[in-house]
C-alpha cells in the first residue's frame, strides 16, 4: 500500500476575504508550540505504509522557517518522495528559500494566485500582482522546480468575462503544468460570503458575480485550459498529461493518507478521522484526533470517485442497485458511459452534487 | 339553594385589561383559594388552557360570599373564551348569566372585542356593571374612560366601580355590586328541567364533561336526562361544581351552575347551547338560541410524509372528540396526495388545531391556503356549497356565486386611520359606520367579505396600526360576488392545492403577485420551470424559474470526505421536506404563498 502525507500549517500573514478555512489566522506566537506539537504527532505515528507523496497545506506553509521545515520533513519516511508539494503565497518567494525547499525534498509548488487582475486581488486582501507571480514562476523554474500549480478562483468580487480572460491569458503566458480552478461559494464560512449574504458592501461584496456568471467563468476556463493541453482530471483540477497531482489523486481514488496538524484528515483505507479544528486546540491536546469512523466505501466509490474525469466503473451488482439514478442521469445527460466506466458530463460536473446525493443511503 | 341568594355573572374584558387578575382576586377574597393554592390553581389551569388553546381559566367557579347584608350568597363566575372565533360560545356563556362585569383598562379604554361582547350581553338582558381597572397606574384616566363607556357603549357609567385588581382596591365593592345589582336567577325550581349546556370537553376517564346552568327545575345524580338536539337519553353518573376544585354534589337546582357527566362519548353529542331536560318529564320547549355551529373557514391539511395519512386521520378523530366545532372529510389532491378538508370557526381555531396536530401528534403538515364556503347557483338552478376551490364548477355552469360577508368592527387611533381605511378598501369593504369616540380614537364598522379576512387581514391590520387596532366581526350573510377560480400551473401542470378563489377585479394582480412569490420560494430545478396563473384557459401571469446551473463542491481541500458527505446529506434531507409535483420539488412555504398575495410586499 502506498499513501500520502498531509501537513497542515494554519498560519497566514492575513486572512483572505474568500477564505473558508474554519480555523482562520492564528497568532505567530503560537507557531513554536504548534510546530512542536506537530513533530510530536508525526513521531508518534505508526506507519503502516511508506509515504509516496507529501503535501504541505495551509495556511501559508511557505512562511515556515527553512530549518523548521527541514526538521519536520526529516520525520517523514520515504524520501525522496515521488511528489512533495508546498503551498506558497505569491510574492514571498526567494531563490534561497526555493533552493532550501528543493534540498529537503519539495519538488512541487502550488501558488495561491486566485486572480491576475489587480483590482480583484486587492479585494481579497492579497498584495501580489501578475508580474510578481510571473517572477515567482521564473524563480521556481530557475531553482529546478518545474512542477508548478496555479490556483484560480471563479466568482471573486468584480470579476467579469473580460477580466477572467485576462487571468487565463496569464496562465497561457506562464504555462504552468497544473491549474486548479475553484468556484467561490457564497456561505457564512468566509468573510466575503457572509458579507454577500448580509447584503453588505465590504470586500466588494455587491460585485460578486451571480451564480450564472460564475458558471460561465468556470466553463470558459475549462475550454481555454483544454486548448492549452491542460485537461480537467477532477472537478477543480487541470493538468497537462502526466502532471496530475499524485497526492490529490489519492483522495479521489480512496487511497490512504495521513494528516497531521490542525483540522487535518486521515484515511487508512477503511476508517477516517479528523484532528481538532483550530491550532489553539491542537497545541493543547494530548491526542488531537477524534474517534475514527468507518468509511462507507461503497458510497464513496461514487460520490468521491465520480469527481474524476475517468469516472468509476460500476460492478454488475452496482448497476442493478443504482439502476434508477444511473439510467435517469444517463437520460438527462448528467453522466455518460465510457467503456465499462461512467463519468460526469460537462453539465454533470456543474450539477455533481445532484448526482452524488443519489448514491447516499441506498 | 334558594335562587334569591344566587348570582351568576361573567367578566367581559379585552386581553390584558385585567380579567384574570380580577378573577383571581375575587376567588382570593371569597376564600375560594388561599394565596398558596392560587399558584397551584394557575398552574393547573394553564395546562388545561394550553391543551384547549383558549381561555378556560376559572371557567365556572362557585364563590361563597357573605355580603354586608349578612346573607351568604352563591356567586357563580362564568368565564368566557376571548376570541372572535368563539362568539357563539361566548353568547351561550352569557346566556347562563344575569349580569356581567365590564372591565375596561383605565388608560387603554374600550376595545372592539369588549364592545362586541358587551352588546352580546345587552342582547341577553344582562345587568352590566362597568369596572374601571388599573386605576393605580400613573396613566389612568378613570373619568375619561367613564365618559367613553357612556359615549361608545351607551351605558350609564356614573356608578362604574374604580378598581385595581392588582392592588386589591375596590374588590369588596365589586362583590357588593354583584350582589346588589345583578338580579337573582328567575327560573322556578318546580318547573320541568331545562338546563343550558354552555361548554363541554372530553375527559378520557369520564367521557364528556358538560358545564351547565340549570334554568328551571333540578338536575340530580342518576337522573335520566335527554339532550334536546339529538334526543339521546343518558344517566347522570356524576355531578358537582367547581369551587374551583371539582366538588361532587347530589343536585343542581334552578339558578345553579355546575358540571355533569353521563357517559357521553363525544362532545358533538353535547353541543354548546343545547338544552338538557328530564327524560321522563320533559319540558315543553327547549331554551332559545341553540345553533349548530358551522365552520366558516376551510383549509386542506396534508401530511408531509404521505405514509402518515392514517396517523393524521386518527389524530383528527381524537381532536374532534374534544372539539365539535371543527369538521373534516377526506380529500384527495393531485399535488399533495391524500389529506383532509377541514372546517374551522376561524383562523385562530385553525391555528390551534394545526399546532396541536404538529405538537401533540408529531405530524408534519402542509396546510393549504384557508378559504371560505361559497354558495353557488348553477345554470340548472341547483344551489351547492363549495368550500374547496378545486371543486368549483365550470364557469359556464355557474349562474351566480354568493360569498360569506361579515360585519367587522375596528377600533383604532386616528393616526393609523389612513392605513386602515386603505386596507379595508383594498379588501372590498363597505363602510357602515365611522365614529370618533373621543381621546383620538375611531370606531369603524365595515361590511367585508370573509374571504378577504382569511387571507392576510389580521397581519395587515396589525402592521397598519402598529398593533393599536382591535377587531371583532360577525357573520352577516351572503352576497352575490363575481368570484373566479385562479389556478396555478407549475411546469404546465395545474397544482390543485394552490388554486384560490378571488374576486374577478383582483384576479390579474393576485395572480401576478402569487407567481412572483412562488418564483422566489421554489428553488431552481434541474430544468427550467414555468410558473403560470390562469383563469380558465387564460394565462394571466407567467414567470420562469431558470434551470439550476450549479450545485457543485469545487473548493480547495480534498481530504475532507466526511464534510462533503454531510453537505450532500443535508441537501438530500432538504429535498425530502419538499413535495414533488410532477418533476418539480416544491417547498412547503410555496403552498402558503397564496396567503400573502395582496398588496404589502414589504418583507
Amino acid at each position: 500500500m502506498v499513501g500520502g502525507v498531509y501537513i497542515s500549517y494554519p498560519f497566514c500573514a492575513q486572512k483572505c476575504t474568500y477564505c473558508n478555512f474554519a480555523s482562520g489566522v492564528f497568532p505567530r506566537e503560537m507557531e513554536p508550540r504548534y510546530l512542536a506539537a506537530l513533530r510530536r504527532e508525526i513521531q508518534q505515528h505508526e506507519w503502516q505504509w511508506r509515504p509516496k507523496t507529501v503535501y504541505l497545506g495551509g495556511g501559508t506553509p511557505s512562511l515556515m522557517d527553512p530549518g523548521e521545515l527541514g526538521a519536520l520533513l526529516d520525520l517523514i519516511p520515504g524520501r525522496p518522495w515521488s511528489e512533495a508539494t508546498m503551498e506558497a503565497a505569491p510574492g514571498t518567494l526567494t531563490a534561497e528559500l526555493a533552493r532550501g525547499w528543493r534540498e529537503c525534498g519539495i519538488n512541487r509548488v502550488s501558488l495561491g494566485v486566485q486572480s491576475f487582475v489587480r483590482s480583484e486581488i486587492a479585494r481579497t486582501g492579497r498584495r501580489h500582482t501578475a508580474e510578481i507571480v510571473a517572477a515567482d514562476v521564473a524563480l521556481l523554474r530557475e531553482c529546478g522546480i518545474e512542477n508548478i500549480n496555479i490556483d484560480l478562483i471563479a466568482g471573486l468580487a468584480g470579476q467579469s468575462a473580460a477580466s477572467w480572460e485576462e487571468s487565463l491569458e496569464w496562465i497561457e503566458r506562464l504555462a504552468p503544468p497544473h491549474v486548479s480552478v475553484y468556484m467561490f461559494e457564497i456561505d457564512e464560512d468566509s468573510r466575503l460570503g457572509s458579507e454577500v449574504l448580509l447584503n453588505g458592501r465590504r470586500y466588494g461584496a455587491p460585485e460578486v458575480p451571480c451564480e450564472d456568471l460564475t458558471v460561465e467563468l468556470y466553463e470558459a476556463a475549462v475550454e481555454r485550459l483544454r486548448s492549452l493541453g491542460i485537461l480537467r482530471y477532477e472537478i477543480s483540477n487541470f493538468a497537462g498529461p502526466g502532471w496530475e497531482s499524485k497526492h490529490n489523486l489519492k483522495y479521489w481514488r480512496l487511497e490512504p493518507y495521513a494528516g497531521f496538524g490542525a483540522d487535518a484528515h486521515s484515511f487508512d483505507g477503511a476508517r477516517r478521522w479528523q484532528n481538532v479544528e483550530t491550532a489553539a486546540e491542537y497545541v493543547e491536546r494530548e491526542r488531537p484526533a477524534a474517534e475514527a469512523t468507518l468509511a462507507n466505501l461503497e458510497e464513496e466509490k461514487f460520490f468521491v470517485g465520480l469527481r474524476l474525469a475517468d469516472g468509476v466503473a460500476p460492478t454488475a451488482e452496482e448497476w442493478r442497485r443504482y439502476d434508477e439514478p444511473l439510467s435517469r442521469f444517463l437520460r438527462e445527460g448528467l453522466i455518460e458511459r465510457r467503456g465499462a466506466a461512467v463519468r460526469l458530463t460537462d453539465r454533470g460536473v456543474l450539477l455533481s452534487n445532484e448526482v452524488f446525493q443519489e448514491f447516499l443511503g441506498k | 339553594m334558594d335562587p334569591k341568594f344566587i348570582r351568576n355573572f361573567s367578566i367581559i374584558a379585552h386581553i390584558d385589561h385585567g380579567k384574570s387578575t380580577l378573577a383571581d382576586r375575587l376567588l382570593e377574597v371569597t376564600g375560594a383559594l388561599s394565596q398558596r393554592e392560587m399558584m397551584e390553581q394557575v398552574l393547573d389551569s394553564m395546562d388545561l388552557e394550553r391543551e384547549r388553546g383558549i381561555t378556560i381559566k376559572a371557567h365556572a367557579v362557585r364563590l361563597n360570599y357573605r355580603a354586608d347584608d349578612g346573607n351568604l350568597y352563591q356567586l357563580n363566575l362564568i368565564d368566557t373564551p376571548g376570541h372572535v372565533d368563539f362568539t357563539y360560545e361566548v353568547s351561550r356563556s352569557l346566556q347562563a348569566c344575569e349580569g356581567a362585569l365590564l372591565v375596561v383598562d383605565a388608560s387603554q379604554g374600550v376595545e372592539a372585542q369588549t364592545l362586541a361582547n358587551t352588546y352580546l350581553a345587552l342582547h341577553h338582558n344582562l345587568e352590566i356593571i362597568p369596572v374601571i381597572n388599573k386605576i393605580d397606574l400613573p396613566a389612568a384616566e378613570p373619568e375619561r374612560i367613564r365618559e367613553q363607556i357612556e359615549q361608545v357603549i351607551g351605558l350609564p357609567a356614573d356608578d362604574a366601580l374604580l378598581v385595581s385588581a392588582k392592588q386589591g382596591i375596590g374588590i369588596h365593592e365589586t362583590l357588593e355590586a354583584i350582589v346588589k345589582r345583578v338580579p337573582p336567577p328567575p327560573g322556578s325550581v318546580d318547573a320541568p328541567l331545562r338546563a343550558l349546556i354552555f361548554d363541554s370537553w372530553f375527559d378520557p376517564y369520564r367521557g364528556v364533561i358538560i358545564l351547565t346552568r340549570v334554568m328551571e327545575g333540578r338536575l340530580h345524580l342518576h337522573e335520566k336526562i335527554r339532550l334536546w338536539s339529538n334526543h339521546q337519553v343518558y344517566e347522570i353518573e356524576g355531578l358537582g361544581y367547581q369551587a374551583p376544585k371539582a366538588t361532587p354534589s347530589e343536585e343542581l337546582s334552578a339558578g345553579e351552575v355546575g358540571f355533569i357527566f353521563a357517559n357521553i362519548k363525544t362532545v358533538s353529542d353535547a353541543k354548546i347551547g343545547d338544552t338538557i331536560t328530564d327524560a321522563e318529564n320533559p319540558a315543553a320547549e327547549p331554551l332559545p338560541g341553540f345553533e349548530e355551529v358551522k365552520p366558516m373557514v376551510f383549509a386542506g391539511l396534508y401530511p408531509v410524509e404521505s405514509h402518515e395519512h392514517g396517523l393524521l386521520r386518527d389524530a383528527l378523530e381524537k381532536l374532534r372528540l374534544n372539539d365539535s366545532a371543527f369538521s373534516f372529510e377526506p380529500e384527495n389532491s393531485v399535488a399533495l396526495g391524500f389529506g383532509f378538508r377541514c372546517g374551522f370557526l376561524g383562523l385562530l381555531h385553525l391555528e390551534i388545531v394545526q399546532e396541536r396536530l404538529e405538537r401533540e401528534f408529531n405530524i408534519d403538515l402542509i396546510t393549504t391556503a384557508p378559504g371560505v364556503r361559497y354558495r353557488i347557483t348553477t345554470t340548472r338552478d341547483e344551489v351547492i356549497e363549495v368550500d374547496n376551490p378545486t371543486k368549483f364548477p365550470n364557469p359556464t355552469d355557474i349562474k351566480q356565486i354568493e360569498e360569506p360577508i361579515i360585519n367587522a368592527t375596528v377600533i383604532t387611533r386616528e393616526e393609523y386611520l389612513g392605513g386602515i381605511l386603505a386596507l379595508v378598501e383594498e379588501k372590498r369593504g363597505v363602510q357602515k359606520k365611522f365614529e370618533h369616540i373621543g381621546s383620538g380614537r375611531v370606531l369603524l364598522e365595515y361590511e367585508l367579505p370573509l374571504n378577504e379576512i382569511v387571507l392576510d387581514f389580521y397581519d395587515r391590520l396589525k402592521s397598519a396600526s402598529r398593533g393599536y387596532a382591535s377587531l371583532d366581526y360577525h357573520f352577516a350573510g351572503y352576497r352575490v360576488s363575481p368570484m373566479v377560480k385562479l389556478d396555478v400551473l407549475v411546469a404546465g401542470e395545474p397544482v390543485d392545492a394552490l388554486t384560490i378563489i378571488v374576486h374577478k377585479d383582483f384576479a390579474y394582480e393576485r395572480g401576478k403577485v402569487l407567481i412572483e412569490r412562488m418564483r422566489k420560494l421554489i428553488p431552481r430545478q434541474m430544468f427550467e420551470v414555468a410558473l403560470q396563473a390562469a383563469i380558465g384557459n387564460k394565462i394571466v401571469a407567467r414567470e420562469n424559474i431558470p434551470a439550476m446551473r450549479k450545485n457543485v463542491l469545487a473548493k480547495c481541500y480534498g481530504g475532507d470526505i466526511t464534510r462533503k458527505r454531510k453537505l450532500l446529506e443535508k441537501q438530500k434531507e432538504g429535498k425530502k421536506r419538499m413535495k414533488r409535483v410532477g418533476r418539480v420539488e416544491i417547498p412547503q412555504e410555496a403552498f402558503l404563498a397564496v396567503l400573502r398575495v395582496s398588496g404589502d410586499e414589504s418583507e
Side-chain angles (χ1 to χ4, degrees), chain B residues 407-552:
Chain B
N407 277 328
T409 307
V410 175
I411 295 184
T412 188
R413 295 195 192 162
E414 273 161 3
E415 62 253 51
Y416 305 119
L417 205 53
I420 291 175
L421 288 179
L423 174 65
V424 287
E425 290 300 322
E426 183 198 314
K427 296 291 189 182
R428 303 191 276 133
V430 178
Q431 197 178 87
K432 295 278 157 194
K433 194 173 184 181
F434 181 110
E435 198 182 318
H436 289 274
I437 55 173
S439 319
R441 288 153 60 90
V442 179
L443 181 150
L444 302 172
E445 267 181 41
Y446 268 81
E447 223 177 69
L448 280 158
L450 181 60
N451 144 297
E452 299 288 345
I453 299 279
V454 301
L455 275 174
D456 54 358
F457 190 77
Y458 284 115
D459 292 344
R460 300 276 308 279
L461 181 68
K462 216 167 160 186
S463 60
S465 65
R466 301 178 53 199
Y468 290 108
S470 55
L471 167 76
D472 189 78
Y473 67 78
H474 300 284
F475 177 63
Y478 277 86
R479 183 168 76 192
V480 176
S481 299
M483 308 302 285
V484 292
K485 183 167 88 157
L486 184 73
D487 290 312
V488 172
L489 291 83
V490 175
E493 286 184 47
V495 180
D496 53 3
L498 289 168
T499 299
I500 51 169
I501 305 300
V502 290
H503 190 275
K504 182 169 73 57
D505 294 350
F506 300 153
Y508 279 80
E509 186 53 31
R510 294 250 163 114
K512 213 173 121 237
V513 178
L514 173 58
I515 295 298
E516 265 167 34
R517 266 189 195 280
M518 295 209 21
R519 183 175 57 83
K520 289 179 196 153
L521 290 167
I522 298 178
R524 286 180 170 204
Q525 314 273 318
M526 302 285 275
F527 42 89
E528 187 178 61
V529 174
L531 297 177
Q532 294 162 304
I535 300 168
N537 293 324
K538 195 159 144 206
I539 305 295
V540 298
R542 182 190 168 112
E543 293 269 349
N544 282 346
I545 303 173
M548 183 196 294
R549 289 295 297 277
K550 130 179 192 289
N551 181 12
V552 54

Side-chain angles (χ1 to χ4, degrees), chain A residues 203-248:
Chain A
Y203 322 127
E207 287 172 66
V208 167
C210 67
E211 182 179 312
D212 289 0
L213 177 54
T214 302
V215 165
E216 278 159 32
L217 301 181
Y218 173 83
E219 284 174 335
V222 174
E223 265 322 297
R224 185 65 177 265
L225 293 171
R226 188 181 288 155
S227 75
L228 300 175
I230 305 175
L231 308 177
R232 177 169 63 199
Y233 67 97
E234 191 270 341
I235 293 176
S236 305
N237 289 290
F238 303 74
W243 292 93
E244 296 86 0
S245 164
K246 295 184 179 72
H247 180 83
N248 283 335

